[in-house]
Amino acid sequence: MTIYDIAIIPLIVGIVELLKQIGLPSKFAALVSVLLGIAIGVVYLSPDDIKKGILVGLALGLAASGLYSGTKSTVEGVKNLFIAKDRK
C-alpha cells in the first residue's frame, strides 16, 4: 500500500454517503464502510494476497467510518456553537 492508496478513504466515505441518500439506514454505515474497504483491499490493492487485502481493506474501512463519525461530530458541534451564539 502506498501513500496514494489513502485517498481511498474519502472515496469510501463518499460511497457510503451516497448509499445513505438512496436509503441505507445510518446504523449500517460503519458496517458498509468496512465491507467496502475489505472489497477494495482484496480487489484493487492486493488481489494476489487475500489476507493482506482483507487486513488493509479493514484498516481503510475502519478509518473511513472514523472519518465520517469525526466529521459528523465536528459539524454538529459547530452548529450547536452557532445556535448558542445566536440565542445570546
Side-chain angles (χ1 to χ4, degrees):
M1 186 166 103
T2 65
I3 191 71
Y4 299 110
D5 295 334
I6 299 301
I8 293 171
I9 294 172
L11 175 69
I12 293 171
V13 172
I15 292 170
V16 170
E17 277 300 310
L18 179 65
L19 291 173
K20 285 174 59 179
Q21 293 296 321
I22 294 172
L24 177 74
S26 294
K27 62 183 176 182
F28 296 122
L31 177 64
V32 170
S33 70
V34 169
L35 293 176
L36 279 171
I38 291 172
I40 291 170
V42 170
V43 173
Y44 175 68
L45 295 176
S46 188
D48 54 333
D49 187 2
I50 301 297
K51 290 179 185 177
K52 180 180 176 185
I54 291 172
L55 185 62
V56 170
L58 184 63
L60 291 173
L62 289 171
S65 66
L67 176 65
Y68 171 78
S69 174
T71 304
K72 182 178 176 184
S73 298
T74 302
V75 168
E76 289 297 320
V78 170
K79 281 183 186 177
N80 291 338
L81 180 68
F82 283 121
I83 290 172
K85 196 179 216 182
D86 289 340
R87 290 182 182 167
K88 288 183 180 181

